[in-house]
């Protein structure tokens, strides 16, 4: 899953630590989400989007491989 957290942080002049404090997680969690190493819960994704004043869909974008597996599209 792609995200634009780094871009949004730059646009809002916000550090990873400041975002982490705002949404109630560690800076390491923000870093992991930003790097695509951790997929956030729906609640965390919504908190992050709210922190930037954008929609979840603007902040996170599914990639083709995200559709693979048991929760994927029906054919």
């Amino acid at each position: 899953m792609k995200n634009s957290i780094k871009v949004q942080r730059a646009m809002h002049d916000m550090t990873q630590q400041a975002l982490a404090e705002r949404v109630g997680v560690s800076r390491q969690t923000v870093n992991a989400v930003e790097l695509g190493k951790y997929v956030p819960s729906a609640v965390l994704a919504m908190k992050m989007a709210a922190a930037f004043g954008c929609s979840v869909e603007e902040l996170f974008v599914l990639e083709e491989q995200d559709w693979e597996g048991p929760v994927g599209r029906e054919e």
Side-chain angles (χ1 to χ4, degrees):
M1 180 166 59
K2 286 183 168 182
N3 69 70
S4 61
I5 296 170
K6 188 172 185 175
V7 171
Q8 288 289 338
R9 283 194 310 99
M11 289 171 49
H12 291 84
D13 194 30
M14 188 182 293
T15 64
Q16 287 183 343
Q17 183 64 43
L19 176 59
E21 290 171 5
R22 186 147 183 200
V23 299
V25 297
S26 69
R27 185 204 57 80
Q28 291 85 351
T29 297
V30 169
N31 184 59
V33 173
E34 194 170 289
L35 294 175
K37 295 182 178 185
Y38 176 74
V39 176
S41 67
V43 171
L44 179 54
M46 292 174 77
K47 285 181 178 182
M48 289 180 152
F52 297 126
C54 67
S55 69
V56 172
E57 292 83 359
E58 289 175 283
L59 196 57
F60 296 96
V61 178
L62 289 175
E63 297 179 279
E64 187 62 34
Q65 64 266 22
D66 295 323
W67 289 101
E68 296 173 5
V71 186
R73 300 182 273 219
E74 293 186 28
E75 306 262 340

